[in-house]
Amino acid sequence: METAGFIRVLEREGRALAAAAAEAGPDAKVPTCPDWQVRDLLRHTGTVHRWATSFVAAGHTEFIPFGEPPDLDGEALLDWFREGHLRLVATLSDASPDVACWHFLPAPSPLAFWARRQAHETAVHRVDADAARGRDIAGAARDMDAGFAADGVDELLRGFHARPRSRVRTREPAVLRVRATDAADAVWTVRLSAEPPVTERGGAGAADCEISGPAAALYLSLWNRLPLPTVSGDASLAALWRETSGVG
């Protein structure tokens, strides 16, 4: 996807998140994030939106920590979330393509990174908001564009879990394959060891375990929002993912 496409997804998903949160109410539990109520979801995502905006708008070239969410609730919290979301969309839309600022995963440019990252951040948390209002998560997955979902799998495997902080490790080398069944060229080979996973696109060679399914189901399951779809081979590697892949 191009940067403009990610920004369109970000805008749509943020509006949908706010609408689902308003329907659920601030006290509603978030089944996909058991420690959260809807107010926590709004405070977290709204804080992340403002954090991302600050890098692009101000051109910060070094890391700055998250800010503290305001002590708001109810309609005032929803208004705060909507304001920050729209400011992020506008900032990304108006930014120069060659804006220089800090980012934390490989990308063609800082702007491309932030548009992509915030689109996926918001899409996953929109699913959380839908779960809080009682929507079936499998239904939410069926509504998601397969190409966007496959890109989210790629960001997770080749971005987040390529970092030293990934906890997905094995004592002995092993190969995990991830295959989307409804998106072109959406196959990944994940080489596991005592070091951070090394992932490449493609399905050449044997694998000890394969996780396969529609791209959106893979996307949400690898982010631990759904059970893993079809697992073949050594199921302990799939279990290892569930136990250790949380991104901090």
Side-chain angles (χ1 to χ4, degrees):
M1 289 178 66
E2 300 293 328
T3 296
F6 284 118
I7 296 172
R8 287 192 295 271
V9 172
L10 167 63
E11 181 171 16
R12 180 179 69 245
E13 294 290 337
R15 291 181 185 277
L17 193 163
E23 180 180 333
D27 295 327
K29 296 287 187 181
V30 182
T32 45
C33 301
D35 294 334
W36 280 2
Q37 295 174 295
V38 164
R39 63 173 55 87
D40 302 303
L41 176 63
L42 290 171
R43 288 168 180 165
H44 167 81
T45 313
T47 299
V48 171
H49 284 170
R50 283 165 167 78
W51 180 71
T53 298
S54 70
F55 289 105
V56 179
H60 295 301
T61 56
E62 296 184 359
F63 170 81
I64 55 175
F66 290 108
E68 289 294 325
D71 187 19
L72 298 173
D73 209 346
E75 198 62 38
L77 178 59
L78 274 165
D79 289 343
W80 173 83
F81 171 84
R82 291 187 180 108
E83 177 189 358
H85 166 248
L86 291 178
R87 188 185 308 156
L88 173 60
V89 170
T91 297
L92 293 171
S93 299
D94 295 342
S96 170
D98 61 357
V99 63
C101 62
W102 180 85
H103 58 293
F104 60 89
L105 295 178
S109 70
L111 181 61
F113 164 81
W114 284 111
R116 182 196 200 195
R117 176 80 292 276
Q118 292 308 300
H120 287 299
E121 175 84 13
T122 307
V124 170
H125 286 316
R126 187 269 300 168
V127 170
D128 294 331
D130 271 340
R133 70 181 175 100
R135 187 179 184 197
D136 174 56
I137 301 303
R142 286 192 292 271
D143 292 344
M144 191 172 286
D145 176 77
F148 174 75
D151 181 81
V153 173
D154 190 78
E155 184 201 43
L156 182 61
L157 296 179
R158 297 205 298 157
F160 279 100
H161 284 286
R163 300 186 299 170
R165 66 178 62 185
S166 175
R167 297 182 298 115
V168 184
R169 312 286 179 101
T170 55
R171 290 178 179 271
E172 300 296 330
V175 176
L176 172 66
R177 181 152 296 134
V178 177
R179 185 186 305 273
T181 55
D182 60 347
D185 302 319
V187 183
W188 298 263
T189 297
V190 186
R191 302 190 185 281
L192 303 174
S193 70
E195 300 298 322
V198 176
T199 301
E200 58 191 30
R201 294 295 288 261
D208 299 292
C209 175
E210 180 167 310
I211 302 171
S212 62
L218 282 176
Y219 177 51
L220 294 178
S221 66
L222 293 173
W223 275 108
N224 295 319
R225 264 60 182 188
L226 278 174
L228 293 170
T230 303
V231 175
S232 58
D234 184 354
S236 70
L237 294 178
L240 175 74
W241 180 274
R242 300 295 287 186
E243 293 163 4
T244 63
S245 66
V247 172

